[in-house]
Amino acid sequence: MIRQSHSGARERIVAKAIAPVVAELRLVDAADYVAFVRLEQFASLADLVSSASELFFLPGALRLGHAGEVHLDWDTRPKIVLDLELHLRGATVWFALTLEAERASVELNYVTFAKSHAEPERNTDFLERALEDAMIRREEPVSF
């Protein structure tokens, strides 16, 4: 995707929304990701993403795209890149989630809006609302 002035804001919005899913994905051993990607077991990767997101997003909102990558050699820590898709009401986001030892990052590849506005800021606001609508709201337990 060609970087535009609003790309960073949209990446931050997506990153914030999927942060709890990223925490769940980090519970999986890096060796499992390496095996699934190298052996092209993308259905297994899709299951991991689905399981990690089911507590936080409505069913089908966050899914594995068509691929994943592993960057691994003898003198660096593994870097796992998952091709992910967010299917929201009125918007679809294709992005790459990079998982590294100490950090994770989001890079948007493409965003579409069912009803795009001429002002990018309005589209960004819509994306934020659409993500909030796709998230499962959990009420905090009442403490006595």
Side-chain angles (χ1 to χ4, degrees):
M1 181 171 97
I2 296 173
R3 298 284 304 172
Q4 298 177 354
S5 60
H6 51 272
S7 297
R10 292 178 184 174
E11 285 174 342
R12 285 188 293 279
I13 290 167
V14 170
K16 181 180 176 186
I18 68 163
V21 177
V22 172
E24 291 289 317
L25 290 171
R26 284 187 173 284
L27 297 174
V28 177
D29 193 329
D32 293 333
Y33 287 112
V34 172
F36 291 150
V37 171
R38 295 290 177 159
L39 298 172
E40 297 182 357
Q41 298 293 317
F42 295 114
S44 297
L45 280 175
D47 286 343
L48 288 176
V49 171
S50 178
S51 295
S53 67
E54 69 186 4
L55 295 174
F56 308 103
F57 284 94
L58 297 174
L62 180 63
R63 345 177 168 154
L64 182 72
H66 297 291
E69 298 175 26
V70 172
H71 302 271
L72 180 65
D73 57 41
W74 290 108
D75 46 337
T76 61
R77 292 183 175 190
K79 179 166 65 170
I80 312 299
V81 182
L82 300 176
D83 176 32
L84 299 178
E85 301 174 359
L86 276 164
H87 295 269
L88 311 169
R89 187 174 303 154
T92 305
V93 181
W94 291 268
F95 65 100
L97 170 65
T98 302
L99 299 170
E100 297 179 80
E102 302 295 325
R103 64 186 216 96
S105 61
V106 167
E107 182 180 351
L108 295 185
N109 294 321
Y110 196 69
V111 181
T112 61
F113 296 96
K115 295 181 181 178
S116 184
H117 295 282
E119 300 171 26
E121 297 82 18
R122 289 185 66 189
N123 290 328
T124 301
D125 291 341
F126 178 83
L127 175 62
E128 189 168 26
R129 287 190 311 275
L131 268 165
E132 289 171 4
D133 290 344
M135 296 176 75
I136 296 174
R137 288 166 182 59
R138 301 223 179 266
E139 292 187 26
E140 295 297 320
V142 178
S143 59
F144 295 95

